[in-house]
Amino acid sequence: MFTDTFDKITWLLLAVVIAALAALLAVNHGTGGGRSAGLGKAVEREMAYRARVELIGKLYGPVEELRRAGRNQEALLKLDELIRKYPGEAHGHILQGEILRDMGALDEAVASFVEGVKLNGDYLDEGSPLSRRAAIQAIVDEGLRNIGSRAAANPGNRSLAASLGKINYLRSRLAGGCE
């Protein structure tokens, strides 16, 4: 069977063809399954994100209504309750920051925005329905002017230095920096 040179070459070519087919099947099987698994995960992520956005709308809707009605103190009380109930949810901190800024409590507003951004960076993403990028940029600009000048006038004040550090954190995140 392997005595003849022609037989040896034929068996060698047959072995190469079988190996090539096996490799081709292995590669196609791997990518086909990966595509469907990747598509499935992308759909799952999108569904989870949309569910989160809808849940946030329901949870924080009453707070938004109180805010629109100008009842900021009541909105803050409701937010405190929601933040305690859902400590890992960033939206409460972001709303708290917006309300505190409207009330003129700039240092506390900056701290709330920092907490929210640390919990979820989606609030910096312009493409996100939850984006608060413009509000965060505005508070950074205001904070640099206001807190920055107070910190420069009082270089030994640790609370001002801490607030300035938080503003710089938000500025870094706006520029695309990671934690």
Side-chain angles (χ1 to χ4, degrees):
M1 185 165 163
F2 294 108
T3 57
D4 188 37
T5 306
F6 178 77
D7 286 346
K8 289 179 184 175
I9 292 174
T10 302
W11 280 107
L12 179 66
L13 287 175
L14 186 60
V16 168
V17 169
I18 289 172
L21 283 174
L24 192 61
L25 285 174
V27 169
N28 283 339
H29 178 70
T31 57
R35 277 189 209 147
S36 65
L39 181 62
K41 287 185 179 189
V43 170
E44 285 177 14
R45 276 194 304 264
E46 179 66 25
M47 288 175 61
Y49 188 74
R50 287 179 188 254
R52 180 175 176 260
V53 169
E54 190 166 321
L55 178 65
I56 284 172
K58 284 184 180 177
L59 285 176
Y60 295 97
V63 174
E64 291 283 358
E65 288 177 24
L66 288 170
R67 185 175 173 210
R68 278 192 292 272
R71 298 166 41 194
N72 286 336
Q73 291 293 337
E74 292 176 55
L76 286 174
L77 288 173
K78 181 74 177 163
L79 272 176
D80 283 342
E81 178 184 316
L82 288 171
I83 288 172
R84 275 184 292 191
K85 191 172 183 178
Y86 305 101
E89 179 52 55
H91 198 75
H93 294 284
I94 298 294
L95 276 177
Q96 190 178 41
E98 290 175 342
I99 293 169
L100 288 169
R101 181 176 178 228
D102 291 345
M103 295 173 70
L106 184 61
D107 294 21
E108 293 82 3
V110 169
S112 291
F113 275 109
V114 167
E115 288 297 320
V117 169
K118 281 184 176 178
L119 287 171
N120 191 333
D122 287 350
Y123 292 92
L124 296 170
D125 183 10
E126 287 176 295
S128 169
L130 299 173
S131 178
R132 295 293 201 275
R133 188 175 181 87
I136 293 170
Q137 182 65 57
I139 203 163
V140 165
D141 294 340
E142 185 179 351
L144 286 173
R145 282 190 311 270
N146 185 319
I147 297 172
S149 64
R150 285 189 291 151
N154 302 302
N157 189 325
R158 291 184 181 182
S159 69
L160 286 174
S163 291
L164 192 58
K166 290 174 183 173
I167 289 169
N168 286 330
Y169 169 80
L170 289 175
R171 188 167 68 169
S172 167
R173 294 296 307 265
L174 283 168
C178 296
E179 290 190 44

